[in-house]
Amino acid sequence: MPLSTADRSLLEPAIRRLNALRPLSPEARASLEYAMLEGLQRAGAGEDLISEGDPVDSVRIVLSGWLCRYKALEDGRRQIVNFIFPGESCDAHAFLLSTMDHSIATLTPVVYAEIKRARFDSLLAADRSLAEAFLCEMLVNNAIQREWVINLGRRAALERVAHLFCEIFERLRPVGMAEGNSCAMPVTQTDLADATGLSVVHLNRTLQELRASGLIVLRDRTLVIRDIDALKSTALFSPSYLQLYRGGREHG
C-alpha cells in the first residue's frame, strides 16, 4: 500500500539521515518506512523516554522534536552528553547491553517510531545497506561524543558554545531542518548550559558575546548564523567528524 504524502513527510527525516550515511536500497527504505509507521509514538516535553538502568528491548527513531541524552549526579546536577534530532535513533543496538547507562529525555514534544528488537534484527538481516547505515550512525555518534569531550575539556566558553551551534546547524541540514543560515533552537539556556558545562550566568554572558560579535541572532526559538565561516573559525570547528553525505546523497 503506497504511503500518503503526510506519512512520507513524517518519515522523511529518518530516511534522509540514513541515506546520507549509506545509500538505502528501495526495498530497505520501504521496509523501514512501514516498520516506523506501525510503531509511531508521541511524548510531551520534559519526559524521560528511558532512564538509566532500564532494560532496552526496542529501537526508537526520532521523527520530530528534540531530545537529549544525559547523566545526573546524586545531588541533581545534570550533564547533557548529546542532543538527539529528527532522523536520528535514540538507541540503535543498545538492546545488546543489559541496561541503559544514561537517560534520554524529551526537550520538546516529539514523535518517534518504536521498533521492537526482533523486527529491527530482521530488517537489518534482510538488507545490508540498512545494516551499514545504522552502523555508520553508531560510529558517527561515537565521533560526536569524542568531540563533546574536547569541547568540555579544552575549548574556552566562547569556542564551546560556538562549536555546539555549528554542530547543531550541520546535523540539522541533512534532514532538511535548516533553512538558509537559520535553524530552530527550541531549547532553554539551562539546557545549553547543561550541554556545555557552564553555569547559566556564564552561558548567558557567552551568548551576549556571540551576539555582540555579529556572529549569531538567537530569538524566538530560532538561531540565525550571520557569518557561518566566522562562527566556525571562532569555534575551531570542522564538520569532518559528522561524515556528512559520506555514503549517500542529499535529497531535496
Side-chain angles (χ1 to χ4, degrees):
M1 179 179 179
L3 296 180
S4 70
T5 301
D7 288 341
R8 193 168 294 281
S9 176
L10 179 63
L11 303 178
E12 192 63 20
I15 300 301
R16 289 179 63 143
R17 167 67 174 159
L18 292 169
N19 204 57
L21 296 169
R22 278 291 184 274
L24 299 181
S25 70
E27 295 79 12
R29 174 172 180 149
S31 297
L32 181 60
E33 285 174 338
Y34 284 114
M36 288 192 292
L37 278 179
E38 290 175 0
L40 283 183
Q41 305 283 341
R42 286 173 169 79
E47 298 183 18
D48 276 356
L49 286 193
I50 192 164
S51 298
E52 183 174 354
D54 286 350
V56 186
D57 65 352
S58 60
V59 174
R60 296 169 180 84
I61 301 173
V62 182
L63 303 176
S64 69
W66 286 32
L67 304 92
C68 69
R69 302 179 189 274
Y70 74 92
K71 298 276 287 187
L73 299 179
E74 290 184 2
D75 61 6
R77 284 176 292 167
R78 180 182 72 161
Q79 177 67 51
I80 291 177
V81 298
N82 203 348
F83 289 119
I84 306 173
F85 301 125
E88 300 178 352
S89 67
C90 292
D91 38 37
H93 304 295
F95 52 66
L96 296 174
L97 304 176
S98 57
T99 60
M100 286 288 284
D101 69 343
H102 62 279
S103 301
I104 296 177
T106 60
L107 298 172
T108 69
V110 301
V111 178
Y112 64 97
E114 184 170 338
I115 305 175
K116 293 298 182 181
R117 175 178 183 171
R119 180 74 178 276
F120 187 69
D121 280 343
S122 66
L123 288 172
L124 301 193
D127 194 287
R128 181 173 178 176
S129 69
L130 193 60
E132 289 189 352
F134 276 105
L135 284 173
C136 282
E137 187 199 37
M138 181 177 67
L139 292 172
V140 170
N141 282 337
N142 290 342
I144 289 171
Q145 294 304 151
R146 288 189 288 272
E147 201 67 30
W148 278 51
V149 170
I150 295 171
N151 225 29
L152 293 172
R154 285 293 178 262
R155 290 190 178 98
L158 187 70
E159 297 167 339
R160 206 179 290 186
V161 178
H163 196 280
L164 179 61
F165 285 161
C166 288
E167 180 184 288
I168 289 172
F169 182 75
E170 292 292 350
R171 286 171 66 185
L172 291 175
R173 281 198 313 118
V175 294
M177 298 291 175
E179 183 174 349
N181 63 339
S182 67
C183 65
M185 186 61 61
V187 294
T188 67
Q189 288 196 16
T190 298
D191 296 328
L192 292 174
D194 286 349
T196 53
L198 302 171
S199 68
V200 175
V201 172
H202 198 175
L203 184 277
N204 185 269
R205 288 201 302 264
T206 305
L207 292 176
Q208 294 299 334
E209 188 175 353
L210 287 169
R211 291 187 179 104
S213 300
L215 295 175
I216 69 163
V217 175
L218 187 57
R219 185 187 304 126
D220 299 329
R221 298 164 65 90
T222 300
L223 171 69
V224 178
I225 300 175
R226 301 181 68 178
D227 188 333
I228 185 63
D229 291 333
L231 189 66
K232 287 180 178 179
S233 178
T234 297
L236 307 176
F237 179 85
S238 169
S240 59
Y241 67 100
L242 298 174
Q243 302 290 328
L244 298 171
Y245 315 121
R246 180 179 183 275
R249 59 191 183 278
E250 184 176 8
H251 292 269

PDB file of all heavy atoms in Angstrom, residues 202-236:
ATOM      1  N   HIS A 202      27.150  32.181  33.122  1.00  0.00           N
ATOM      2  CA  HIS A 202      28.284  32.179  32.183  1.00  0.00           C
ATOM      3  C   HIS A 202      27.795  31.937  30.761  1.00  0.00           C
ATOM      4  O   HIS A 202      28.278  32.559  29.811  1.00  0.00           O
ATOM      5  CB  HIS A 202      29.295  31.111  32.599  1.00  0.00           C
ATOM      6  CG  HIS A 202      30.642  31.297  31.993  1.00  0.00           C
ATOM      7  ND1 HIS A 202      31.716  30.501  32.316  1.00  0.00           N
ATOM      8  CD2 HIS A 202      31.107  32.177  31.046  1.00  0.00           C
ATOM      9  CE1 HIS A 202      32.772  30.880  31.619  1.00  0.00           C
ATOM     10  NE2 HIS A 202      32.423  31.881  30.838  1.00  0.00           N
ATOM     11  N   LEU A 203      26.836  31.054  30.605  1.00  0.00           N
ATOM     12  CA  LEU A 203      26.265  30.783  29.282  1.00  0.00           C
ATOM     13  C   LEU A 203      25.620  32.036  28.721  1.00  0.00           C
ATOM     14  O   LEU A 203      25.813  32.382  27.545  1.00  0.00           O
ATOM     15  CB  LEU A 203      25.251  29.644  29.395  1.00  0.00           C
ATOM     16  CG  LEU A 203      24.552  29.063  28.152  1.00  0.00           C
ATOM     17  CD1 LEU A 203      23.361  29.872  27.735  1.00  0.00           C
ATOM     18  CD2 LEU A 203      25.512  28.838  27.012  1.00  0.00           C
ATOM     19  N   ASN A 204      24.874  32.770  29.541  1.00  0.00           N
ATOM     20  CA  ASN A 204      24.224  33.991  29.087  1.00  0.00           C
ATOM     21  C   ASN A 204      25.249  35.030  28.645  1.00  0.00           C
ATOM     22  O   ASN A 204      25.069  35.688  27.609  1.00  0.00           O
ATOM     23  CB  ASN A 204      23.341  34.552  30.196  1.00  0.00           C
ATOM     24  CG  ASN A 204      22.542  35.753  29.742  1.00  0.00           C
ATOM     25  OD1 ASN A 204      22.990  36.886  29.870  1.00  0.00           O
ATOM     26  ND2 ASN A 204      21.362  35.509  29.195  1.00  0.00           N
ATOM     27  N   ARG A 205      26.331  35.193  29.410  1.00  0.00           N
ATOM     28  CA  ARG A 205      27.383  36.134  29.022  1.00  0.00           C
ATOM     29  C   ARG A 205      28.013  35.734  27.696  1.00  0.00           C
ATOM     30  O   ARG A 205      28.324  36.582  26.856  1.00  0.00           O
ATOM     31  CB  ARG A 205      28.460  36.209  30.103  1.00  0.00           C
ATOM     32  CG  ARG A 205      28.049  36.926  31.373  1.00  0.00           C
ATOM     33  CD  ARG A 205      29.273  37.403  32.139  1.00  0.00           C
ATOM     34  NE  ARG A 205      30.157  36.305  32.477  1.00  0.00           N
ATOM     35  CZ  ARG A 205      30.144  35.668  33.647  1.00  0.00           C
ATOM     36  NH1 ARG A 205      29.250  36.003  34.580  1.00  0.00           N
ATOM     37  NH2 ARG A 205      30.993  34.701  33.892  1.00  0.00           N
ATOM     38  N   THR A 206      28.197  34.434  27.499  1.00  0.00           N
ATOM     39  CA  THR A 206      28.804  33.946  26.266  1.00  0.00           C
ATOM     40  C   THR A 206      27.889  34.191  25.072  1.00  0.00           C
ATOM     41  O   THR A 206      28.348  34.580  23.985  1.00  0.00           O
ATOM     42  CB  THR A 206      29.132  32.451  26.396  1.00  0.00           C
ATOM     43  OG1 THR A 206      29.955  32.249  27.549  1.00  0.00           O
ATOM     44  CG2 THR A 206      29.860  31.944  25.166  1.00  0.00           C
ATOM     45  N   LEU A 207      26.592  33.980  25.249  1.00  0.00           N
ATOM     46  CA  LEU A 207      25.640  34.277  24.178  1.00  0.00           C
ATOM     47  C   LEU A 207      25.658  35.758  23.834  1.00  0.00           C
ATOM     48  O   LEU A 207      25.601  36.132  22.647  1.00  0.00           O
ATOM     49  CB  LEU A 207      24.229  33.856  24.596  1.00  0.00           C
ATOM     50  CG  LEU A 207      23.962  32.360  24.732  1.00  0.00           C
ATOM     51  CD1 LEU A 207      22.540  32.127  25.244  1.00  0.00           C
ATOM     52  CD2 LEU A 207      24.177  31.638  23.404  1.00  0.00           C
ATOM     53  N   GLN A 208      25.747  36.606  24.835  1.00  0.00           N
ATOM     54  CA  GLN A 208      25.811  38.036  24.589  1.00  0.00           C
ATOM     55  C   GLN A 208      27.065  38.397  23.801  1.00  0.00           C
ATOM     56  O   GLN A 208      27.031  39.270  22.919  1.00  0.00           O
ATOM     57  CB  GLN A 208      25.779  38.805  25.917  1.00  0.00           C
ATOM     58  CG  GLN A 208      24.478  38.695  26.687  1.00  0.00           C
ATOM     59  CD  GLN A 208      23.281  39.239  25.928  1.00  0.00           C
ATOM     60  OE1 GLN A 208      23.404  40.110  25.068  1.00  0.00           O
ATOM     61  NE2 GLN A 208      22.097  38.709  26.219  1.00  0.00           N
ATOM     62  N   GLU A 209      28.164  37.730  24.092  1.00  0.00           N
ATOM     63  CA  GLU A 209      29.416  37.984  23.358  1.00  0.00           C
ATOM     64  C   GLU A 209      29.289  37.556  21.899  1.00  0.00           C
ATOM     65  O   GLU A 209      29.753  38.262  20.993  1.00  0.00           O
ATOM     66  CB  GLU A 209      30.568  37.246  24.040  1.00  0.00           C
ATOM     67  CG  GLU A 209      31.934  37.596  23.475  1.00  0.00           C
ATOM     68  CD  GLU A 209      33.077  36.942  24.238  1.00  0.00           C
ATOM     69  OE1 GLU A 209      32.805  36.324  25.299  1.00  0.00           O
ATOM     70  OE2 GLU A 209      34.223  37.036  23.779  1.00  0.00           O
ATOM     71  N   LEU A 210      28.654  36.417  21.646  1.00  0.00           N
ATOM     72  CA  LEU A 210      28.450  35.961  20.274  1.00  0.00           C
ATOM     73  C   LEU A 210      27.535  36.926  19.517  1.00  0.00           C
ATOM     74  O   LEU A 210      27.761  37.215  18.333  1.00  0.00           O
ATOM     75  CB  LEU A 210      27.853  34.558  20.263  1.00  0.00           C
ATOM     76  CG  LEU A 210      28.797  33.411  20.653  1.00  0.00           C
ATOM     77  CD1 LEU A 210      28.030  32.125  20.867  1.00  0.00           C
ATOM     78  CD2 LEU A 210      29.871  33.215  19.584  1.00  0.00           C
ATOM     79  N   ARG A 211      26.513  37.422  20.189  1.00  0.00           N
ATOM     80  CA  ARG A 211      25.619  38.408  19.558  1.00  0.00           C
ATOM     81  C   ARG A 211      26.376  39.701  19.258  1.00  0.00           C
ATOM     82  O   ARG A 211      26.260  40.260  18.159  1.00  0.00           O
ATOM     83  CB  ARG A 211      24.433  38.694  20.468  1.00  0.00           C
ATOM     84  CG  ARG A 211      23.426  37.561  20.636  1.00  0.00           C
ATOM     85  CD  ARG A 211      22.222  38.048  21.430  1.00  0.00           C
ATOM     86  NE  ARG A 211      21.199  37.040  21.606  1.00  0.00           N
ATOM     87  CZ  ARG A 211      20.994  36.380  22.748  1.00  0.00           C
ATOM     88  NH1 ARG A 211      21.770  36.613  23.806  1.00  0.00           N
ATOM     89  NH2 ARG A 211      20.030  35.487  22.840  1.00  0.00           N
ATOM     90  N   ALA A 212      27.121  40.189  20.243  1.00  0.00           N
ATOM     91  CA  ALA A 212      27.828  41.457  20.079  1.00  0.00           C
ATOM     92  C   ALA A 212      28.876  41.381  18.974  1.00  0.00           C
ATOM     93  O   ALA A 212      29.178  42.400  18.325  1.00  0.00           O
ATOM     94  CB  ALA A 212      28.479  41.857  21.400  1.00  0.00           C
ATOM     95  N   SER A 213      29.415  40.186  18.756  1.00  0.00           N
ATOM     96  CA  SER A 213      30.401  39.998  17.680  1.00  0.00           C
ATOM     97  C   SER A 213      29.758  39.918  16.306  1.00  0.00           C
ATOM     98  O   SER A 213      30.465  39.811  15.296  1.00  0.00           O
ATOM     99  CB  SER A 213      31.211  38.728  17.944  1.00  0.00           C
ATOM    100  OG  SER A 213      31.889  38.809  19.184  1.00  0.00           O
ATOM    101  N   GLY A 214      28.415  39.941  16.265  1.00  0.00           N
ATOM    102  CA  GLY A 214      27.710  39.868  14.993  1.00  0.00           C
ATOM    103  C   GLY A 214      27.697  38.489  14.375  1.00  0.00           C
ATOM    104  O   GLY A 214      27.430  38.344  13.180  1.00  0.00           O
ATOM    105  N   LEU A 215      27.956  37.443  15.192  1.00  0.00           N
ATOM    106  CA  LEU A 215      28.026  36.089  14.656  1.00  0.00           C
ATOM    107  C   LEU A 215      26.670  35.407  14.619  1.00  0.00           C
ATOM    108  O   LEU A 215      26.399  34.613  13.711  1.00  0.00           O
ATOM    109  CB  LEU A 215      29.003  35.250  15.488  1.00  0.00           C
ATOM    110  CG  LEU A 215      30.465  35.695  15.426  1.00  0.00           C
ATOM    111  CD1 LEU A 215      31.310  34.872  16.389  1.00  0.00           C
ATOM    112  CD2 LEU A 215      30.992  35.559  14.002  1.00  0.00           C
ATOM    113  N   ILE A 216      25.818  35.670  15.618  1.00  0.00           N
ATOM    114  CA  ILE A 216      24.528  34.983  15.689  1.00  0.00           C
ATOM    115  C   ILE A 216      23.419  35.943  16.092  1.00  0.00           C
ATOM    116  O   ILE A 216      23.668  37.009  16.665  1.00  0.00           O
ATOM    117  CB  ILE A 216      24.551  33.811  16.693  1.00  0.00           C
ATOM    118  CG1 ILE A 216      24.668  34.357  18.132  1.00  0.00           C
ATOM    119  CG2 ILE A 216      25.642  32.810  16.374  1.00  0.00           C
ATOM    120  CD1 ILE A 216      24.302  33.354  19.204  1.00  0.00           C
ATOM    121  N   VAL A 217      22.203  35.536  15.776  1.00  0.00           N
ATOM    122  CA  VAL A 217      20.995  36.115  16.348  1.00  0.00           C
ATOM    123  C   VAL A 217      20.208  34.950  16.921  1.00  0.00           C
ATOM    124  O   VAL A 217      19.971  33.960  16.228  1.00  0.00           O
ATOM    125  CB  VAL A 217      20.150  36.868  15.302  1.00  0.00           C
ATOM    126  CG1 VAL A 217      18.844  37.349  15.919  1.00  0.00           C
ATOM    127  CG2 VAL A 217      20.930  38.034  14.713  1.00  0.00           C
ATOM    128  N   LEU A 218      19.854  35.038  18.200  1.00  0.00           N
ATOM    129  CA  LEU A 218      19.095  33.975  18.853  1.00  0.00           C
ATOM    130  C   LEU A 218      17.844  34.600  19.437  1.00  0.00           C
ATOM    131  O   LEU A 218      17.883  35.316  20.431  1.00  0.00           O
ATOM    132  CB  LEU A 218      19.939  33.323  19.956  1.00  0.00           C
ATOM    133  CG  LEU A 218      19.369  32.085  20.647  1.00  0.00           C
ATOM    134  CD1 LEU A 218      19.057  30.989  19.641  1.00  0.00           C
ATOM    135  CD2 LEU A 218      20.335  31.574  21.713  1.00  0.00           C
ATOM    136  N   ARG A 219      16.715  34.333  18.753  1.00  0.00           N
ATOM    137  CA  ARG A 219      15.475  34.979  19.140  1.00  0.00           C
ATOM    138  C   ARG A 219      14.293  34.121  18.704  1.00  0.00           C
ATOM    139  O   ARG A 219      14.322  33.502  17.646  1.00  0.00           O
ATOM    140  CB  ARG A 219      15.383  36.358  18.478  1.00  0.00           C
ATOM    141  CG  ARG A 219      14.172  37.198  18.904  1.00  0.00           C
ATOM    142  CD  ARG A 219      14.055  38.480  18.081  1.00  0.00           C
ATOM    143  NE  ARG A 219      15.256  39.290  18.146  1.00  0.00           N
ATOM    144  CZ  ARG A 219      15.918  39.719  17.076  1.00  0.00           C
ATOM    145  NH1 ARG A 219      15.496  39.403  15.860  1.00  0.00           N
ATOM    146  NH2 ARG A 219      16.997  40.450  17.214  1.00  0.00           N
ATOM    147  N   ASP A 220      13.250  34.111  19.542  1.00  0.00           N
ATOM    148  CA  ASP A 220      12.014  33.403  19.201  1.00  0.00           C
ATOM    149  C   ASP A 220      12.278  31.941  18.845  1.00  0.00           C
ATOM    150  O   ASP A 220      11.736  31.415  17.882  1.00  0.00           O
ATOM    151  CB  ASP A 220      11.281  34.105  18.045  1.00  0.00           C
ATOM    152  CG  ASP A 220      10.873  35.517  18.392  1.00  0.00           C
ATOM    153  OD1 ASP A 220      10.595  35.771  19.577  1.00  0.00           O
ATOM    154  OD2 ASP A 220      10.859  36.368  17.473  1.00  0.00           O
ATOM    155  N   ARG A 221      13.144  31.294  19.633  1.00  0.00           N
ATOM    156  CA  ARG A 221      13.451  29.864  19.458  1.00  0.00           C
ATOM    157  C   ARG A 221      14.036  29.553  18.086  1.00  0.00           C
ATOM    158  O   ARG A 221      13.865  28.456  17.554  1.00  0.00           O
ATOM    159  CB  ARG A 221      12.196  29.020  19.716  1.00  0.00           C
ATOM    160  CG  ARG A 221      11.671  29.156  21.147  1.00  0.00           C
ATOM    161  CD  ARG A 221      10.251  28.643  21.290  1.00  0.00           C
ATOM    162  NE  ARG A 221      10.136  27.223  21.069  1.00  0.00           N
ATOM    163  CZ  ARG A 221      10.255  26.288  22.006  1.00  0.00           C
ATOM    164  NH1 ARG A 221      10.535  26.641  23.240  1.00  0.00           N
ATOM    165  NH2 ARG A 221      10.100  25.016  21.719  1.00  0.00           N
ATOM    166  N   THR A 222      14.741  30.534  17.510  1.00  0.00           N
ATOM    167  CA  THR A 222      15.390  30.366  16.214  1.00  0.00           C
ATOM    168  C   THR A 222      16.818  30.882  16.297  1.00  0.00           C
ATOM    169  O   THR A 222      17.076  31.950  16.865  1.00  0.00           O
ATOM    170  CB  THR A 222      14.645  31.133  15.112  1.00  0.00           C
ATOM    171  OG1 THR A 222      13.313  30.634  15.020  1.00  0.00           O
ATOM    172  CG2 THR A 222      15.328  30.965  13.762  1.00  0.00           C
ATOM    173  N   LEU A 223      17.752  30.113  15.749  1.00  0.00           N
ATOM    174  CA  LEU A 223      19.142  30.526  15.649  1.00  0.00           C
ATOM    175  C   LEU A 223      19.421  30.975  14.228  1.00  0.00           C
ATOM    176  O   LEU A 223      19.179  30.231  13.275  1.00  0.00           O
ATOM    177  CB  LEU A 223      20.075  29.359  16.007  1.00  0.00           C
ATOM    178  CG  LEU A 223      21.572  29.580  15.734  1.00  0.00           C
ATOM    179  CD1 LEU A 223      22.141  30.631  16.695  1.00  0.00           C
ATOM    180  CD2 LEU A 223      22.334  28.261  15.854  1.00  0.00           C
ATOM    181  N   VAL A 224      19.916  32.190  14.079  1.00  0.00           N
ATOM    182  CA  VAL A 224      20.369  32.699  12.788  1.00  0.00           C
ATOM    183  C   VAL A 224      21.876  32.897  12.881  1.00  0.00           C
ATOM    184  O   VAL A 224      22.360  33.625  13.763  1.00  0.00           O
ATOM    185  CB  VAL A 224      19.691  34.035  12.418  1.00  0.00           C
ATOM    186  CG1 VAL A 224      20.228  34.546  11.082  1.00  0.00           C
ATOM    187  CG2 VAL A 224      18.178  33.870  12.353  1.00  0.00           C
ATOM    188  N   ILE A 225      22.609  32.228  12.016  1.00  0.00           N
ATOM    189  CA  ILE A 225      24.065  32.372  11.975  1.00  0.00           C
ATOM    190  C   ILE A 225      24.384  33.404  10.904  1.00  0.00           C
ATOM    191  O   ILE A 225      24.188  33.170   9.711  1.00  0.00           O
ATOM    192  CB  ILE A 225      24.746  31.027  11.663  1.00  0.00           C
ATOM    193  CG1 ILE A 225      24.381  29.999  12.739  1.00  0.00           C
ATOM    194  CG2 ILE A 225      26.255  31.203  11.588  1.00  0.00           C
ATOM    195  CD1 ILE A 225      24.916  28.600  12.464  1.00  0.00           C
ATOM    196  N   ARG A 226      24.866  34.541  11.318  1.00  0.00           N
ATOM    197  CA  ARG A 226      25.067  35.658  10.388  1.00  0.00           C
ATOM    198  C   ARG A 226      26.324  35.485   9.546  1.00  0.00           C
ATOM    199  O   ARG A 226      26.401  36.005   8.440  1.00  0.00           O
ATOM    200  CB  ARG A 226      25.112  36.975  11.168  1.00  0.00           C
ATOM    201  CG  ARG A 226      23.828  37.221  11.975  1.00  0.00           C
ATOM    202  CD  ARG A 226      23.849  38.521  12.716  1.00  0.00           C
ATOM    203  NE  ARG A 226      23.802  39.663  11.801  1.00  0.00           N
ATOM    204  CZ  ARG A 226      23.779  40.920  12.204  1.00  0.00           C
ATOM    205  NH1 ARG A 226      23.798  41.207  13.506  1.00  0.00           N
ATOM    206  NH2 ARG A 226      23.730  41.903  11.337  1.00  0.00           N
ATOM    207  N   ASP A 227      27.295  34.761  10.077  1.00  0.00           N
ATOM    208  CA  ASP A 227      28.533  34.511   9.326  1.00  0.00           C
ATOM    209  C   ASP A 227      29.028  33.127   9.720  1.00  0.00           C
ATOM    210  O   ASP A 227      29.720  32.960  10.720  1.00  0.00           O
ATOM    211  CB  ASP A 227      29.574  35.581   9.643  1.00  0.00           C
ATOM    212  CG  ASP A 227      30.810  35.492   8.741  1.00  0.00           C
ATOM    213  OD1 ASP A 227      31.114  34.389   8.255  1.00  0.00           O
ATOM    214  OD2 ASP A 227      31.466  36.534   8.541  1.00  0.00           O
ATOM    215  N   ILE A 228      28.648  32.114   8.932  1.00  0.00           N
ATOM    216  CA  ILE A 228      28.956  30.738   9.300  1.00  0.00           C
ATOM    217  C   ILE A 228      30.454  30.479   9.303  1.00  0.00           C
ATOM    218  O   ILE A 228      30.978  29.785  10.175  1.00  0.00           O
ATOM    219  CB  ILE A 228      28.226  29.732   8.363  1.00  0.00           C
ATOM    220  CG1 ILE A 228      28.458  28.287   8.816  1.00  0.00           C
ATOM    221  CG2 ILE A 228      28.644  29.939   6.923  1.00  0.00           C
ATOM    222  CD1 ILE A 228      27.914  27.950  10.163  1.00  0.00           C
ATOM    223  N   ASP A 229      31.191  31.064   8.338  1.00  0.00           N
ATOM    224  CA  ASP A 229      32.645  30.846   8.300  1.00  0.00           C
ATOM    225  C   ASP A 229      33.314  31.452   9.526  1.00  0.00           C
ATOM    226  O   ASP A 229      34.229  30.850  10.105  1.00  0.00           O
ATOM    227  CB  ASP A 229      33.241  31.430   7.021  1.00  0.00           C
ATOM    228  CG  ASP A 229      32.829  30.662   5.775  1.00  0.00           C
ATOM    229  OD1 ASP A 229      32.534  29.458   5.897  1.00  0.00           O
ATOM    230  OD2 ASP A 229      32.788  31.264   4.685  1.00  0.00           O
ATOM    231  N   ALA A 230      32.873  32.634   9.931  1.00  0.00           N
ATOM    232  CA  ALA A 230      33.451  33.278  11.113  1.00  0.00           C
ATOM    233  C   ALA A 230      33.100  32.502  12.375  1.00  0.00           C
ATOM    234  O   ALA A 230      33.934  32.376  13.286  1.00  0.00           O
ATOM    235  CB  ALA A 230      32.964  34.719  11.215  1.00  0.00           C
ATOM    236  N   LEU A 231      31.873  31.968  12.442  1.00  0.00           N
ATOM    237  CA  LEU A 231      31.487  31.181  13.615  1.00  0.00           C
ATOM    238  C   LEU A 231      32.307  29.902  13.697  1.00  0.00           C
ATOM    239  O   LEU A 231      32.766  29.512  14.776  1.00  0.00           O
ATOM    240  CB  LEU A 231      29.992  30.855  13.571  1.00  0.00           C
ATOM    241  CG  LEU A 231      29.410  30.218  14.842  1.00  0.00           C
ATOM    242  CD1 LEU A 231      29.453  31.207  16.007  1.00  0.00           C
ATOM    243  CD2 LEU A 231      27.986  29.734  14.608  1.00  0.00           C
ATOM    244  N   LYS A 232      32.522  29.254  12.558  1.00  0.00           N
ATOM    245  CA  LYS A 232      33.351  28.043  12.539  1.00  0.00           C
ATOM    246  C   LYS A 232      34.777  28.357  12.942  1.00  0.00           C
ATOM    247  O   LYS A 232      35.421  27.583  13.666  1.00  0.00           O
ATOM    248  CB  LYS A 232      33.321  27.404  11.147  1.00  0.00           C
ATOM    249  CG  LYS A 232      32.008  26.722  10.807  1.00  0.00           C
ATOM    250  CD  LYS A 232      32.049  26.100   9.411  1.00  0.00           C
ATOM    251  CE  LYS A 232      30.757  25.369   9.099  1.00  0.00           C
ATOM    252  NZ  LYS A 232      30.776  24.771   7.728  1.00  0.00           N
ATOM    253  N   SER A 233      35.290  29.496  12.503  1.00  0.00           N
ATOM    254  CA  SER A 233      36.646  29.900  12.876  1.00  0.00           C
ATOM    255  C   SER A 233      36.740  30.151  14.373  1.00  0.00           C
ATOM    256  O   SER A 233      37.701  29.723  15.036  1.00  0.00           O
ATOM    257  CB  SER A 233      37.044  31.155  12.095  1.00  0.00           C
ATOM    258  OG  SER A 233      38.336  31.589  12.466  1.00  0.00           O
ATOM    259  N   THR A 234      35.751  30.823  14.932  1.00  0.00           N
ATOM    260  CA  THR A 234      35.721  31.083  16.375  1.00  0.00           C
ATOM    261  C   THR A 234      35.686  29.778  17.154  1.00  0.00           C
ATOM    262  O   THR A 234      36.324  29.637  18.203  1.00  0.00           O
ATOM    263  CB  THR A 234      34.491  31.935  16.734  1.00  0.00           C
ATOM    264  OG1 THR A 234      34.593  33.197  16.081  1.00  0.00           O
ATOM    265  CG2 THR A 234      34.369  32.140  18.236  1.00  0.00           C
ATOM    266  N   ALA A 235      34.935  28.804  16.642  1.00  0.00           N
ATOM    267  CA  ALA A 235      34.740  27.525  17.343  1.00  0.00           C
ATOM    268  C   ALA A 235      35.852  26.526  17.094  1.00  0.00           C
ATOM    269  O   ALA A 235      35.890  25.474  17.735  1.00  0.00           O
ATOM    270  CB  ALA A 235      33.416  26.910  16.897  1.00  0.00           C
ATOM    271  N   LEU A 236      36.758  26.816  16.153  1.00  0.00           N
ATOM    272  CA  LEU A 236      37.743  25.825  15.704  1.00  0.00           C
ATOM    273  C   LEU A 236      36.997  24.572  15.230  1.00  0.00           C
ATOM    274  O   LEU A 236      37.346  23.439  15.576  1.00  0.00           O
ATOM    275  CB  LEU A 236      38.728  25.487  16.826  1.00  0.00           C
ATOM    276  CG  LEU A 236      39.436  26.673  17.481  1.00  0.00           C
ATOM    277  CD1 LEU A 236      40.304  26.208  18.644  1.00  0.00           C
ATOM    278  CD2 LEU A 236      40.249  27.469  16.477  1.00  0.00           C
TER     279      LEU A 236
END
